Amino acid sequence: MAAVSFNNGDAMPIISKLYCASSQVVFLVRERPHAVNGGGFVVTDCTQKVVFRVDGCGVVGAKGELILRDSDGDPLLLIRRKGGMVQALSIHRKWKGYSFDYEGSRKLVFSLKEPSSCLVRNNAIRISIEPRRSRRDGDWDFEIKGYFPGRDCSIVDNSGNIVAQIGARKEAKEVMTSNDLYHVVVKPGIDQAFVFGVIAVLDYIYGESTRC
């Protein structure tokens, strides 16, 4: 993985530089019905071309496990909720995201702390890029601001810069259609695969399309 930079406009490859665009990109997200497609959601660009697909437990067959796939259906991220007795006694549940290399080997690229209660809107959800390094600004790299179920939240870095927005922002209204559930605006240089990996976890945490 290339070095991560948190300056606006710089490329920030976390999964792959292939998903770091030089300009802002608007994506549309549609949930899939559990009864027909096993749940999860599909991500398209403004031309309705599929860019990512997320499979939840209805497809994967295991609770607390998600797969982010590219437009060809190849896996980009395996995301798992950490289990075990120690985790059960912890205030925060932790999710871990693993990327796949060309040989199919997995590599830990990020971890996310689930809030102690989803009913409290201001509970912090923070994401750390892995492998962890010493950080002057704390032990996290990104944070969720706002409330995902209300489709009004942002992913911000530890300097307060918005890297992605979820909801009904002005710049996306021109490409929205009646069948679109919500949109995601990803800022220039930000790894789009990473953003939708985080959104997949948020979807599961709040009991939406990826959860059985």
Side-chain angles (χ1 to χ4, degrees):
M1 182 184 72
V4 177
S5 171
F6 298 103
N7 296 318
N8 270 343
D10 292 345
M12 294 172 53
I14 297 171
I15 311 305
S16 171
K17 63 182 180 181
L18 295 175
Y19 301 107
C20 299
S22 59
S23 59
Q24 178 173 282
V25 182
V26 178
F27 296 96
L28 308 178
V29 180
R30 297 184 180 88
E31 294 183 353
R32 298 182 306 197
H34 285 88
V36 180
N37 301 108
F41 58 84
V42 176
V43 181
T44 59
D45 61 18
C46 61
T47 67
Q48 304 300 308
K49 179 183 177 181
V50 174
V51 182
F52 302 109
R53 187 176 80 235
V54 172
D55 294 335
C57 69
V59 177
V60 178
K63 291 186 177 181
E65 188 166 306
L66 309 167
I67 296 178
L68 175 74
R69 301 182 184 276
D70 64 15
S71 58
D72 295 323
D74 295 325
L76 294 174
L77 271 175
L78 170 65
I79 309 168
R80 286 176 169 166
R81 185 167 61 183
K82 186 178 178 182
M85 182 60 70
V86 174
Q87 187 68 24
L89 298 175
S90 175
I91 296 176
H92 295 277
R93 295 177 179 176
K94 182 172 285 190
W95 290 78
K96 292 184 178 293
Y98 301 86
S99 66
F100 296 89
D101 63 18
Y102 65 95
E103 295 180 340
S105 299
R106 297 198 300 260
K107 178 182 179 181
L108 180 63
V109 290
F110 76 86
S111 60
L112 180 150
K113 288 184 178 180
E114 185 174 328
S116 56
S117 173
C118 295
L119 301 177
V120 181
R121 294 195 176 203
N122 60 354
N123 271 352
I125 299 179
R126 290 175 173 171
I127 305 107
S128 299
I129 301 305
E130 306 289 352
R132 299 185 65 173
R133 301 177 294 275
S134 60
R135 298 185 177 95
R136 296 178 181 177
D137 298 324
D139 61 351
W140 56 275
D141 297 300
F142 299 96
E143 185 176 26
I144 307 301
K145 294 286 189 180
Y147 191 55
F148 177 75
R151 301 297 187 257
D152 184 18
C153 66
S154 301
I155 302 174
V156 301
D157 65 20
N158 57 11
S159 296
N161 301 309
I162 295 175
V163 301
Q165 294 174 297
I166 302 163
R169 302 293 180 184
K170 180 180 178 180
E171 57 264 38
K173 290 182 179 178
E174 295 179 359
V175 297
M176 293 286 282
T177 68
S178 59
N179 293 326
D180 297 323
L181 294 179
Y182 61 96
H183 79 271
V184 178
V185 179
V186 181
K187 299 298 182 179
I190 305 302
D191 193 318
Q192 300 155 2
F194 164 72
V195 167
F196 286 102
V198 171
I199 291 174
V201 177
L202 295 177
D203 183 281
Y204 191 99
I205 288 174
Y206 289 102
E208 298 196 13
S209 64
T210 55
R211 195 163 185 168
C212 294

